Coordinates of all heavy atoms in Angstrom, one line a residue:
L158 N 0.9 -1.2 0.0 CA 0.0 0.0 0.1 C 0.9 1.3 0.0 O 0.6 2.2 -0.8 CB -0.9 0.0 1.3 CG -1.9 1.1 1.3 CD1 -3.3 0.6 2.1 CD2 -1.5 2.3 2.2
A159 N 1.9 1.3 0.9 CA 2.8 2.5 0.9 C 3.7 2.7 -0.4 O 3.7 3.8 -0.9 CB 3.7 2.3 2.1
W160 N 4.0 1.6 -0.9 CA 4.8 1.7 -2.2 C 3.9 2.2 -3.2 O 4.4 3.2 -4.0 CB 5.3 0.3 -2.6 CG 6.1 0.2 -3.8 CD1 5.6 0.1 -5.0 CD2 7.4 0.1 -4.1 NE1 6.5 0.0 -6.1 CE2 7.8 0.0 -5.3 CE3 8.6 0.1 -3.1 CZ2 9.0 0.0 -5.9 CZ3 9.8 0.0 -3.6 CH2 10.1 0.0 -5.0
M161 N 2.8 1.7 -3.5 CA 2.0 2.2 -4.5 C 1.5 3.6 -4.3 O 1.5 4.5 -5.3 CB 0.6 1.3 -4.6 CG -0.2 1.5 -6.0 SD -0.9 3.0 -6.1 CE -1.9 3.3 -4.7
M162 N 1.2 4.1 -3.2 CA 0.7 5.5 -3.0 C 1.8 6.5 -3.2 O 1.6 7.5 -3.8 CB 0.2 5.6 -1.5 CG -1.1 4.8 -1.3 SD -1.9 5.0 0.4 CE -2.7 6.6 0.1
L163 N 3.1 6.0 -2.7 CA 4.1 7.0 -3.1 C 4.5 7.1 -4.5 O 4.5 8.1 -5.1 CB 5.4 6.6 -2.2 CG 6.6 7.5 -2.1 CD1 7.5 7.3 -3.4 CD2 6.3 8.9 -1.9
V164 N 4.6 5.9 -5.1 CA 5.0 5.8 -6.5 C 3.9 6.6 -7.4 O 4.2 7.4 -8.3 CB 5.3 4.4 -7.0 CG1 5.4 4.4 -8.5 CG2 6.4 4.0 -6.2
S165 N 2.6 6.2 -7.2 CA 1.5 6.7 -7.8 C 1.6 8.3 -7.7 O 1.4 9.1 -8.7 CB 0.1 6.2 -7.5 OG -1.0 6.8 -8.2
R166 N 1.7 8.8 -6.5 CA 1.7 10.2 -6.3 C 2.7 11.0 -7.0 O 2.7 12.1 -7.6 CB 1.8 10.5 -4.7 CG 1.5 12.0 -4.5 CD 0.2 12.5 -4.7 NE -0.1 13.9 -4.6 CZ 0.1 14.7 -5.6 NH1 0.5 14.4 -6.7 NH2 -0.2 16.0 -5.3
M167 N 4.0 10.4 -7.0 CA 5.1 11.0 -7.8 C 4.9 10.9 -9.2 O 5.3 11.8 -10.1 CB 6.4 10.3 -7.4 CG 6.8 10.5 -6.0 SD 7.1 12.2 -5.4 CE 5.5 12.8 -4.8
N168 N 4.3 9.8 -9.7 CA 4.0 9.7 -11.2 C 3.0 10.6 -11.7 O 3.1 11.2 -12.8 CB 3.5 8.2 -11.5 CG 3.3 8.0 -13.0 OD1 2.3 8.4 -13.5 ND2 4.4 7.6 -13.6
V169 N 2.0 11.0 -10.9 CA 0.9 12.0 -11.2 C 1.6 13.3 -11.3 O 1.3 14.2 -12.2 CB -0.1 12.1 -10.1 CG1 -1.0 13.4 -10.3 CG2 -1.0 10.9 -10.3
A170 N 2.5 13.5 -10.3 CA 3.2 14.9 -10.3 C 4.1 15.1 -11.5 O 4.2 16.2 -12.2 CB 4.2 15.0 -8.9
M171 N 4.7 14.0 -12.1 CA 5.4 14.1 -13.3 C 4.5 14.3 -14.5 O 4.7 15.3 -15.3 CB 6.2 12.7 -13.6 CG 7.4 12.5 -12.6 SD 8.7 13.6 -13.0 CE 9.4 13.0 -14.6
Q172 N 3.4 13.7 -14.6 CA 2.5 13.8 -15.7 C 2.0 15.1 -15.8 O 1.9 15.8 -16.9 CB 1.5 12.7 -15.6 CG 1.8 11.3 -15.9 CD 1.9 11.0 -17.4 OE1 1.9 11.8 -18.3 NE2 1.9 9.6 -17.7
L173 N 1.6 15.8 -14.6 CA 0.8 17.0 -14.7 C 1.8 18.2 -14.8 O 1.5 19.3 -15.0 CB 0.1 17.3 -13.4 CG -1.1 16.2 -13.2 CD1 -1.9 16.5 -12.0 CD2 -2.1 16.4 -14.4
N174 N 3.1 18.0 -14.7 CA 4.1 19.1 -14.7 C 5.0 18.8 -16.1 O 6.0 19.7 -16.1 CB 5.0 19.0 -13.6 CG 4.4 19.7 -12.3 OD1 4.4 20.9 -12.2 ND2 3.8 18.8 -11.5
L175 N 4.5 18.2 -17.0 CA 5.4 18.1 -18.2 C 4.6 18.5 -19.4 O 3.3 18.0 -19.6 CB 5.7 16.6 -18.4 CG 6.8 16.1 -17.4 CD1 7.0 14.6 -17.7 CD2 8.1 16.7 -17.6
P176 N 5.2 19.3 -20.3 CA 4.6 19.7 -21.7 C 4.8 18.4 -22.6 O 5.6 17.6 -22.4 CB 5.3 20.8 -22.2 CG 6.7 20.8 -21.5 CD 6.4 19.9 -20.1
N177 N 3.9 18.3 -23.6 CA 3.9 17.1 -24.5 C 5.2 16.9 -25.2 O 5.6 15.8 -25.5 CB 2.7 17.2 -25.5 CG 2.5 15.9 -26.1 OD1 2.4 14.8 -25.5 ND2 2.7 15.9 -27.4
W178 N 5.9 18.1 -25.6 CA 7.0 17.9 -26.5 C 8.1 17.3 -25.8 O 9.0 16.6 -26.6 CB 7.5 19.4 -26.9 CG 8.2 20.2 -25.9 CD1 7.5 21.1 -25.1 CD2 9.6 20.3 -25.5 NE1 8.5 21.6 -24.3 CE2 9.7 21.2 -24.6 CE3 10.6 19.6 -26.0 CZ2 10.9 21.5 -24.1 CZ3 11.9 19.9 -25.5 CH2 12.1 20.9 -24.4
V179 N 8.3 17.1 -24.6 CA 9.3 16.5 -23.9 C 9.0 15.4 -22.9 O 9.7 14.8 -22.2 CB 10.3 17.5 -23.2 CG1 9.5 17.9 -21.8 CG2 11.6 17.0 -22.9
R180 N 7.6 15.1 -23.0 CA 7.1 14.2 -22.1 C 7.7 12.8 -22.0 O 8.2 12.3 -20.9 CB 5.5 14.0 -22.3 CG 4.7 13.1 -21.3 CD 3.3 12.9 -21.7 NE 2.6 14.2 -21.8 CZ 2.1 15.0 -20.9 NH1 2.2 14.5 -19.5 NH2 1.6 16.2 -21.0
A181 N 8.0 12.2 -23.2 CA 8.4 10.7 -23.1 C 9.9 10.8 -22.5 O 10.3 9.9 -21.9 CB 8.4 10.2 -24.5
R182 N 10.7 11.9 -22.9 CA 12.1 12.0 -22.5 C 12.2 12.1 -21.0 O 12.9 11.4 -20.3 CB 12.7 13.0 -23.3 CG 13.2 12.7 -24.6 CD 13.7 13.9 -25.4 NE 12.4 14.7 -25.9 CZ 12.6 15.6 -26.9 NH1 13.7 16.2 -27.2 NH2 11.4 16.1 -27.2
A183 N 11.3 12.9 -20.5 CA 11.4 13.3 -19.0 C 10.7 12.0 -18.3 O 11.3 11.7 -17.2 CB 10.5 14.5 -18.6
L184 N 9.8 11.3 -18.7 CA 9.3 10.2 -18.1 C 10.3 9.0 -18.3 O 10.4 8.2 -17.3 CB 7.9 9.7 -18.8 CG 6.8 10.6 -18.4 CD1 5.5 10.2 -19.2 CD2 6.4 10.5 -16.9
A185 N 11.1 9.0 -19.3 CA 12.2 8.1 -19.4 C 13.1 8.3 -18.3 O 13.7 7.3 -17.7 CB 12.9 8.2 -20.7

């Protein structure tokens, strides 16, 4: 539960703070 909540929260932060032109590179 703790692992999923932390990782999911950080993944949401990444997705919502990235423009599309660099999204795949930053997510990589």
Side-chain angles (χ1 to χ4, degrees):
L158 185 148
W160 178 278
M161 197 293 307
M162 294 185 79
L163 187 283
V164 171
S165 177
R166 189 68 188 87
M167 294 299 96
N168 187 271
V169 169
M171 289 288 295
Q172 290 279 14
L173 294 180
N174 281 279
L175 289 172
N177 190 59
W178 70 268
V179 75
R180 185 181 302 277
R182 278 166 282 184
L184 288 171

